[in-house]
């Protein structure tokens, strides 16, 4: 729940306009919840020189930026869109300094917006809090975050799953599965910290699987990292719109996979501990 | 367990750039690369046979199968073969039959050549188990409930670690066959099939 009056004090977004973009107040508040959780992580983990010098990083970065643009537009945080435009210009002109400055300014802007939204957040009543605390503890136990965080990886190729497991198993408990239906059952039971999904799979592709995983609900759905050989921009955008957080091209390299996984699992754990 | 001698493979299969793949893709993790190669060696013959059947029957699943093979080949460093697989995928999707058949034959020849090289570099890791028939049976009775727990959590890797040491021990032909089926299912990340065979194994050794 949010204090509407408090929201309307913000000069950086128009809450009165934003609520009209949703069917109900509840949907608007859910979007604000997601913003509050996700905004501190927006575009984190990217470095200016890597984005400028690696075309595949640019594709992922621009896809992320597109997703963030949609979120900010829906929430009527239009003033902040200029920061994204600056970053896209930096990519187009291959200007590392512009990119570096742009990223810092963007992070600062997200911090301000998050503070303003958080200032309007109304915490649940104590009785509800105890129940949610218990639920959190059970979730933590099930996901094994006391030990290694759990990752669910889905790909129709056992060879690729073997490689992914081998690359990540020192730090994570990897549940590797070859079909989406079993993955959904596993997700309901295990509350993983991250999903790694192939896109092109028979019966249920990764995009459909992501949609169904997102529809499971829960207070902190785990991030989704798409791992695929499909480099088409349309597929990237579609995948990210269905709730994906990032997109890595195959064949994957251990260092890249590990750094991305660490970023998302750490981010998810940080958000979980804040709740 | 079948393992792969990476140094030997590097000599006999220069097209894989084994050491470069090990360093760049696997971050120096030999065990991760070896396991992937071992699983590829196990599954590639069946996958190639299936691919042939799909071409012969003119099935539209050919493009799906070759797409999967493309990914698996690139994962072990067979990039040139992966490129051929990509070309086959495109041809299959576009319906260009003539070009497809010729390239398919070329692909099969090279893939079978790779398979041979993988086989030559493979060796069976010697098991240190000296368990008797009865000891093996007793050990299986201990680990089956633990394996069931792992499998109920969809953790094929965890279950596999428990049963692997017993793979070369024996407790009767029927049980041995079931152990092979269980490890195959777990290596293919099929927890439901593994659970099914595990229940059968429990029945067999409980008698």
């Amino acid at each position: 729940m949010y204090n509407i009056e408090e929201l309307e004090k913000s000069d950086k977004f128009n809450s009165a306009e934003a609520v009209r973009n949703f069917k109900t107040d509840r949907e608007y508040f859910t979007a604000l919840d997601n913003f509050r959780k996700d905004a501190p992580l927006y575009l984190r983990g990217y470095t200016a020189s890597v984005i400028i010098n690696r075309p595949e990083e640019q594709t992922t970065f621009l896809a992320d930026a597109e997703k963030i643009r949609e979120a900010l537009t829906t929430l009527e945080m239009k003033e902040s869109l200029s920061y994204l435009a600056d970053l896209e210009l930096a990519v187009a002109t291959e200007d590392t300094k512009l990119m570096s400055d742009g990223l810092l300014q963007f992070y600062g802007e997200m911090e301000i917006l998050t503070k303003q939204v958080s200032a309007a957040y109304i915490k649940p009543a104590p009785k509800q809090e105890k129940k949610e605390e218990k639920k959190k503890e059970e979730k933590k136990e099930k996901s094994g975050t006391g030990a290694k965080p759990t990752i669910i990886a889905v790909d129709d190729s056992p060879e690729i799953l073997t490689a992914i497991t081998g690359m990540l198993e020192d730090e994570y408990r990897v549940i590797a599965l070859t079909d989406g239906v079993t993955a959904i059952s596993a997700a309901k039971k295990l509350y993983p910290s991250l999903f790694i999904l192939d896109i092109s799979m028979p019966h249920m592709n990764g995009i459909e699987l992501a949609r169904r995983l997102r529809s499971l609900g829960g207070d902190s759905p785990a991030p989704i990292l798409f791992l695929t050989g499909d480099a088409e921009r349309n597929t990237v955008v579609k995948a990210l719109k269905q709730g994906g957080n990032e997109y890595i091209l195959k064949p994957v390299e251990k260092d890249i996979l590990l750094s991305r996984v660490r970023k998302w699992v750490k981010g998810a754990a940080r958000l979980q501990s804040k709740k | 367990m079948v393992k792969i001698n990476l140094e030997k493979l590097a000599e006999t299969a220069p097209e894989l750039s084994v050491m470069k793949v090990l360093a760049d893709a696997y971050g120096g993790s030999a065990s991760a690369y070896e396991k992937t190669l071992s699983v590829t060696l196990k599954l590639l013959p069946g996958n190639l046979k299936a691919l042939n059947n799909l071409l012969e029957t003119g099935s539209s699943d050919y493009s799906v199968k070759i797409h999967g093979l493309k990914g698996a080949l690139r994962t072990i460093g067979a990039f040139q073969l992966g490129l051929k697989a990509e070309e086959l995928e495109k041809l299959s999707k576009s319906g260009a039959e003539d070009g497809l058949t010729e390239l398919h034959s070329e692909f099969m020849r090279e893939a079978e050549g790779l398979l041979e090289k993988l086989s030559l570099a493979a060796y069976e890791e010697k098991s240190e188990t000296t368990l008797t028939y009865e000891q093996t049976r007793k050990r299986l009775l201990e680990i089956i409930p633990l394996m069931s727990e792992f499998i109920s959590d969809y953790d094929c890797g965890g279950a596999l670690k428990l049963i692997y040491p017993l793979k070369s021990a024996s407790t009767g032909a029927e049980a041995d066959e079931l152990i092979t089926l269980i490890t195959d299912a777990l290596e293919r990340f099929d927890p439901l099939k593994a659970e099914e065979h595990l229940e059968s194994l429990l029945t067999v050794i409980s008698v």
Side-chain angles (χ1 to χ4, degrees):
Chain A
M1 278 276 293
Y2 289 83
N3 181 328
I4 298 282
E5 272 179 30
E6 189 65 40
L7 283 172
E8 282 171 1
K9 283 182 190 172
S10 170
D11 53 356
K12 285 197 167 285
F13 60 97
N14 190 335
S15 174
E17 278 295 312
V19 74
R20 287 183 203 159
N21 293 336
F22 299 88
K23 285 181 191 160
T24 61
D25 283 357
R26 194 190 169 98
E27 272 185 27
Y28 176 47
F29 292 156
T30 303
L32 285 173
D33 270 337
N34 291 336
F35 177 80
R36 217 162 37 85
K37 289 175 227 170
D38 296 342
L41 291 178
Y42 281 167
L43 303 181
R44 293 285 176 172
Y46 285 107
T47 55
S49 56
V50 170
I51 298 168
I52 298 297
N53 294 316
R54 292 183 75 169
E56 66 273 21
E57 288 285 333
Q58 285 179 22
T59 307
T60 312
F61 175 80
L62 291 171
D64 273 350
E66 180 77 43
K67 201 179 163 211
I68 293 164
R69 172 177 280 108
E70 277 188 39
L72 295 179
T73 305
T74 311
L75 291 169
E76 296 291 332
M77 295 172 176
K78 287 179 179 165
E79 201 182 293
S80 311
L81 292 176
S82 62
Y83 292 94
L84 283 176
D86 286 344
L87 289 169
E88 284 160 353
L89 178 65
V91 170
T93 56
E94 297 184 348
D95 189 329
T96 310
K97 183 156 186 338
L98 191 61
M99 175 59 84
S100 187
D101 289 345
L103 281 170
L104 286 173
Q105 283 172 14
F106 179 77
Y107 297 149
E109 180 71 2
M110 289 303 109
E111 210 178 297
I112 294 169
L113 283 170
T114 310
K115 276 185 184 151
Q116 288 181 349
V117 171
S118 297
Y121 177 60
I122 302 171
K123 268 182 141 185
K127 196 176 173 187
Q128 184 65 13
E129 243 185 284
K130 247 191 184 170
K131 238 189 193 172
E132 286 185 1
E133 195 58 50
K134 193 176 173 201
K135 231 171 129 185
K136 242 194 291 171
E137 281 306 312
E138 279 173 4
K139 231 195 236 184
K140 200 175 170 183
E141 213 178 289
K142 277 180 183 170
S143 72
T145 45
K148 295 179 185 175
T150 298
I151 293 172
I152 292 181
V154 191
D155 194 306
D156 58 324
S157 165
E159 297 92 332
I160 291 172
L161 288 173
T162 305
I164 292 171
T165 306
M167 290 175 185
L168 298 176
E169 66 186 354
D170 285 346
E171 291 181 35
Y172 304 96
R173 180 193 185 200
V174 182
I175 304 296
L177 298 163
T178 54
D179 77 282
V181 173
T182 315
I184 292 169
S185 304
K188 286 179 188 171
K189 188 173 184 194
L190 302 174
Y191 299 94
S193 301
L194 177 75
F195 293 101
I196 299 175
L197 309 181
D198 183 22
I199 288 187
S200 302
M201 293 189 283
H203 313 301
M204 189 193 303
N205 66 36
I207 295 175
E208 174 60 20
L209 176 54
R211 191 189 67 76
R212 292 195 196 193
L213 288 170
R214 283 286 176 249
S215 73
L216 290 178
D219 13 306
S220 290
I224 292 175
L225 201 153
F226 285 110
L227 190 64
T228 183
D230 196 328
E232 286 188 24
R233 181 177 160 77
N234 289 343
T235 314
V236 174
V237 172
K238 199 175 171 185
L240 296 173
K241 274 182 176 171
Q242 287 300 339
N245 295 83
E246 191 152 4
Y247 186 97
I248 296 180
L249 293 176
K250 287 189 222 176
V252 76
E253 291 181 9
K254 181 181 174 179
D255 293 344
I256 294 176
L257 178 66
L258 205 43
S259 74
R260 297 293 168 77
V261 166
R262 280 174 184 155
K263 163 187 146 186
W264 286 107
V265 170
K266 208 172 167 184
R270 199 164 58 233
L271 293 174
Q272 191 67 12
S273 65
K274 274 185 183 167
K275 293 186 71 180
Chain B
M1 179 190 171
V2 172
K3 297 196 85 176
I4 306 286
N5 183 324
L6 292 179
E7 283 82 12
K8 190 170 182 183
L9 188 64
E11 278 173 39
T12 56
E15 67 271 28
L16 286 186
S17 302
V18 168
M19 292 308 161
K20 190 172 185 328
V21 169
L22 172 62
D24 294 351
Y26 289 81
S29 171
S31 77
Y33 190 22
E34 278 176 31
K35 276 182 201 167
T36 311
L37 287 165
S38 179
V39 169
T40 305
L41 176 60
K42 193 165 188 174
L43 299 179
L44 190 55
N47 283 334
L48 292 177
K49 192 176 175 186
L51 190 71
N52 249 346
N53 290 341
L54 289 169
L55 182 78
E56 276 166 22
T57 56
S59 169
S60 58
D61 283 345
Y62 182 94
S63 60
V64 174
K65 193 72 184 168
I66 194 71
H67 175 88
L69 270 169
K70 175 184 77 177
L73 288 166
R74 289 167 77 192
T75 299
I76 60 166
F79 298 117
Q80 291 304 316
L81 205 47
L83 276 174
K84 283 205 164 77
E86 189 170 348
E87 196 52 41
L88 281 167
E89 187 185 354
K90 284 182 192 161
L91 286 171
S92 168
K93 284 179 177 170
S94 72
E97 279 187 27
D98 285 344
L100 179 70
T101 310
E102 199 182 314
L103 187 60
H104 170 90
S105 300
E106 210 178 300
F107 173 83
M108 288 298 292
R109 265 196 313 275
E110 286 183 33
E112 278 157 9
L114 174 63
L115 200 48
E116 204 182 315
K117 290 172 186 177
L118 278 172
S119 302
L120 288 171
Y123 63 96
E124 191 76 39
E125 191 178 40
K126 279 184 187 157
S127 170
E128 293 181 16
T129 181
T130 51
L131 296 176
T132 63
Y133 187 106
E134 187 50 35
Q135 283 171 328
T136 306
R137 185 183 153 274
K138 201 176 167 188
R139 180 69 187 136
L140 280 169
L141 286 168
E142 283 169 8
I143 67 169
I144 285 174
L146 299 171
M147 284 181 68
S148 249
E149 270 185 46
F150 274 112
I151 290 171
S152 72
D153 273 354
Y154 305 92
D155 188 346
C156 293
L160 205 49
K161 279 176 188 160
L162 286 171
I163 200 164
Y164 247 141
L166 295 178
K167 223 187 148 199
S168 48
S170 180
T171 186
E174 200 180 347
D176 292 350
E177 196 188 327
L178 283 166
I179 290 172
T180 301
L181 289 171
I182 291 165
T183 51
D184 284 353
L186 292 172
E187 280 171 346
R188 285 194 324 267
F189 302 104
D190 187 348
L192 302 177
K193 198 49 111 184
E195 179 66 35
E196 198 182 298
H197 293 312
L198 198 65
E199 281 171 16
S200 302
L201 178 63
L202 185 60
T203 306
V204 164
I205 64 171
S206 300
V207 167

